[in-house]
Amino acid sequence: MSGDRPPARGTDLARLLLRTAIGGTMIVHGLRHGRTLDGTAGWFRSIGFREPRLQAGLSAAVEIGGGAALVAGAATPLAASSVVGTMAVAARAVHQPNGFFVNAEGYEYVANLAVASVALAALGPGRWSVDAALGLGSRDGGRRAAAVAAGLGLAGAALQLAVYWRRPAPAPGADGSGDATTGDAR
């Protein structure tokens, strides 16, 4: 936002609520990954990631750190980019083949978190934020902040996927030609 008037208090409240909802979701997700690191590593392996233990640890750290930064309104475009990147990796590696709807394990939910994060970067963290308290730039985000959030997030996701991920081979019988447990054709 620009102009002579400061943003209305309602706008600052909306920014705080958005930061808290997105950031809180990421923190809780990261804590779950961190508490079950071996299980998370096994899951990363099962969906085609090399170095699954590294992926699990980094996932937990990025989700907790990025989420905490969003809640605090600290380095908001960079924090938002961590959500965009995490959600883009999840969308490509897990959800895209299942279509849009979340009830079918589709990408609906991860897309909404990513888009909301870019929107938050565009809005800026507001005056009730670390960024504003430290005078580290405007409380307003704008197009540049949105571009940073989207661009860095998508670039980071593309790099992670290119280096560490390969689509896993379909399970035996997944195409309907055989028994899923034995791989025998019927």
Side-chain angles (χ1 to χ4, degrees), residues 68-158:
L70 273 182
V71 170
T76 302
L78 296 177
S81 77
S82 74
V83 176
V84 171
T86 301
M87 295 302 106
V89 168
R92 179 68 181 115
V94 179
H95 302 288
Q96 181 200 12
N98 302 319
F100 180 73
F101 295 103
V102 70
N103 64 336
E105 294 296 323
Y107 58 87
E108 175 182 13
Y109 182 67
V110 297
N112 275 282
L113 279 174
V115 170
S117 296
V118 173
L120 177 57
L123 291 170
R127 66 181 158 140
W128 301 326
S129 66
V130 169
D131 288 347
L134 296 176
L136 298 175
S138 173
R139 290 177 287 201
D140 303 326
R143 286 179 279 198
R144 186 174 297 151
V148 166
L152 286 179
L154 292 174

Side-chain angles (χ1 to χ4, degrees), residues 4-98:
D4 298 325
R5 294 183 303 161
R9 288 185 196 267
T11 303
D12 284 317
L13 178 60
R15 291 169 175 175
L16 176 63
L17 291 172
L18 191 55
R19 288 192 345 248
T20 303
I22 298 167
T25 297
M26 296 308 293
I27 291 168
V28 171
H29 202 256
L31 288 171
R32 182 174 183 209
H33 278 173
R35 274 191 246 130
T36 59
L37 212 49
D38 289 333
T40 301
W43 178 75
F44 271 104
R45 181 180 297 106
S46 77
I47 61 170
F49 278 92
R50 293 187 299 249
E51 302 291 335
R53 181 84 174 168
L54 173 67
Q55 297 299 313
L58 289 175
S59 174
V62 167
E63 290 170 350
I64 294 167
L70 273 182
V71 170
T76 302
L78 296 177
S81 77
S82 74
V83 176
V84 171
T86 301
M87 295 302 106
V89 168
R92 179 68 181 115
V94 179
H95 302 288
Q96 181 200 12
N98 302 319

